[in-house]
Amino acid sequence: MTTRRFKAPLRAVLSVMGLACACVSHASQTQENVPETSRSLWGDKTTVVVGLGTIVSPRYMGSQQTHALLLPTLSLSRGIFFADSTRGIGAEYMNDSGFYISSALAYDPGRKDHDSSWRAGSDRLRGMGDVTGATTADLLLSQSITSWLAVSGEAEFRVAGYQRGNRYRFGLESTQFNSSTDTVTLGVNAHMGDGRYNRTYFGVSEQQERTSRFERFDAKSGIYAYSTSLDWQHSFNAHWTLLMGANLMAFSDRARHSPIVESVTGAAGFAMLDYTF
């Protein structure tokens, strides 16, 4: 017996670009089967999903500049296990009460101090130095409260990569419309970082002050942004699925006073077409 779990296309794509903290809630719905019982740990079928999408987002968290990215995706899943080009390698489980949990080993590509076609970064950050990539352990929990409302929490813990630090998210997801072919979801989230994470992505150290155009800024731990998202999934048939969404993020006092934050709000959007074998 199987049930459904939810995945965030925009969040996953932004993760690849090092912008996961500015993402939408995980309830943007690409629905896939998840085994409910231990006897189905390995399942009886391997599911393969390939996709091609485009995303428009800020060049980095707080940037006024935007850029567009064309992104191919690949996902393999069998039983509770998955290997995903955006989510990483891990396992997931969901039961009839609407409790969902997933754990994965993933990669954060960091940030460049110059324009990049596939990573977060901008020429306006010259002298700040690169934020090196980091391996992360990602944990996601969700619980349905009603048929149309769920609460979720997420943590990304640094496994390797000294600069990275840890980030967290807490959110609510509301299903605004649901039919056999279409699902519309609204999400709101709070995004938090520990001291190392916030200093890395919003702070300016003494050395960076000397080598860049920015004044020193000490970013403290805590909530650095709030976001809201609207997402639509349309299933043409058993194989083809279209996903579209938009996200608006507003920085809190932990980040908005940083000299590298050029805009206190940022918007991102995506469209992706998936084919399931």
Side-chain angles (χ1 to χ4, degrees), residues 28-39:
S28 305
Q29 299 190 357
T30 300
Q31 299 181 345
E32 298 174 311
N33 290 331
V34 175
E36 292 178 293
T37 61
S38 58
R39 67 171 181 245

Side-chain angles (χ1 to χ4, degrees), residues 21 61 108 111 128 131 156 162-169 190-205 208 216-225 251-261:
C21 39
M61 287 188 291
D108 178 350
R111 186 186 71 193
M128 289 290 291
V131 176
E156 287 186 357
Y162 175 78
Q163 292 175 297
R164 209 298 185 153
N166 305 321
R167 77 165 190 92
Y168 312 92
R169 178 189 61 82
H191 306 271
M192 296 152 279
D194 63 11
R196 179 177 291 177
Y197 185 91
N198 286 356
R199 285 193 300 272
T200 295
Y201 284 100
F202 303 108
V204 180
S205 68
Q208 289 171 328
R216 178 147 166 59
F217 181 77
D218 185 19
K220 301 184 183 303
S221 62
I223 295 175
Y224 60 81
F251 290 109
S252 72
D253 289 343
R254 285 290 188 272
R256 68 188 305 161
H257 299 303
S258 168
I260 72 171
V261 174

Side-chain angles (χ1 to χ4, degrees), residues 59-82:
R59 281 199 168 272
Y60 65 90
M61 287 188 291
S63 175
Q64 288 181 334
Q65 300 172 300
T66 60
H67 64 161
L69 173 71
L70 188 66
L71 185 73
T73 61
L74 173 65
S75 175
L76 294 86
S77 61
R78 185 182 178 98
I80 67 170
F81 304 103
F82 63 83

Side-chain angles (χ1 to χ4, degrees), residues 26 93 98-103 138-144 150-155 169-171 173:
H26 80 287
Y93 169 82
F99 173 75
Y100 171 80
I101 182 172
S102 73
S103 179
D138 303 349
L139 178 66
L140 174 63
L141 299 171
S142 178
Q143 177 63 59
S144 296
V151 60
S152 67
E154 179 184 13
R169 178 189 61 82
F170 176 79
E173 294 87 37

Side-chain angles (χ1 to χ4, degrees), residues 90-118:
E92 58 191 348
Y93 169 82
M94 187 174 183
N95 63 22
D96 282 333
S97 68
F99 173 75
Y100 171 80
I101 182 172
S102 73
S103 179
L105 193 65
Y107 182 74
D108 178 350
R111 186 186 71 193
K112 307 294 287 185
D113 70 350
H114 55 266
D115 289 352
S116 174
S117 60
W118 67 277

